[in-house]
């Protein structure tokens, strides 16, 4: 066999695309009017959750309350991040500490799941639960 010539070739392999988006959110609205009757109001209490956190991942929790379900979208809220903050957390106490009422009838809990910086891992939120009690209104 005879080599007539050579040409240098460079093969460029693109990096793998990240497996996860940078973040994703899930929320659930709670309506205390289905349980609290008459002059009773809801007192929002413990938010608990079950999650796993691979290295570099987190979940940012936001709790917002409003007088109507429609008002939840624009309602101010309080936020904290897990795993730095352990489960459970009293969202009513957090609302009060922020100068917000803890007895409005509607509550939105939003979980924003944040992937690792290289987006190769993401937290897994298996479940969450919010407890409230009906207390006499003022």
């Amino acid at each position: 066999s005879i080599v007539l010539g050579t040409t240098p070739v460079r093969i460029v392999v693109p990096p793998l695309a990240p497996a996860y988006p940078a973040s994703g959110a899930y929320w659930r609205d709670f309506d205390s009017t289905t349980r609290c009757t008459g002059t009773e109001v809801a007192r929002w209490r413990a938010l608990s959750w079950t999650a796993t956190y691979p290295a570099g991942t987190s979940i940012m929790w936001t709790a917002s309350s409003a007088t109507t379900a429609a008002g939840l979208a624009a309602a101010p809220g309080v936020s904290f991040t897990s795993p730095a903050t352990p489960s459970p957390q009293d969202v009513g106490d957090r609302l009060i500490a922020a100068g917000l009422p803890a007895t409005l009838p509607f509550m939105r809990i939003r979980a924003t799941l944040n992937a690792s910086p290289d987006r190769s891992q993401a937290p897994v939120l298996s479940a969450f639960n919010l407890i409230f009690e009906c207390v006499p209104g003022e």
Side-chain angles (χ1 to χ4, degrees):
S1 66
I2 300 171
V3 176
L4 298 175
T6 61
T7 304
V9 176
R10 181 186 308 187
I11 299 173
V12 178
V13 178
L16 293 175
Y20 297 98
S23 67
Y26 171 82
W27 65 89
R28 179 168 177 212
D29 295 343
F30 295 86
D31 176 358
S32 69
T33 64
T34 61
R35 299 274 192 243
C36 300
T37 60
T39 60
E40 292 179 321
V41 296
R43 173 58 167 91
W44 300 103
R45 293 288 184 188
L47 170 65
S48 59
W49 62 90
T50 304
T52 57
Y53 306 93
T57 67
S58 65
I59 299 175
M60 184 176 75
W61 296 94
T62 304
S64 304
S65 62
T67 56
T68 65
L72 286 170
V78 294
S79 296
F80 56 91
T81 302
S82 60
T85 304
S87 174
Q89 288 292 307
D90 190 319
V91 294
D93 284 352
R94 285 183 170 273
L95 289 168
I96 291 168
L100 300 170
T103 56
L104 297 179
F106 295 91
M107 172 70 72
R108 175 171 287 173
I109 299 294
R110 180 182 177 97
T112 303
L113 286 72
N114 299 304
S116 59
D118 65 0
R119 295 174 36 193
S120 66
Q121 300 185 80
V124 176
L125 177 60
S126 302
F128 72 91
N129 186 48
L130 177 63
I131 295 173
F132 69 91
E133 61 185 331
C134 297
V135 298
E138 295 179 11

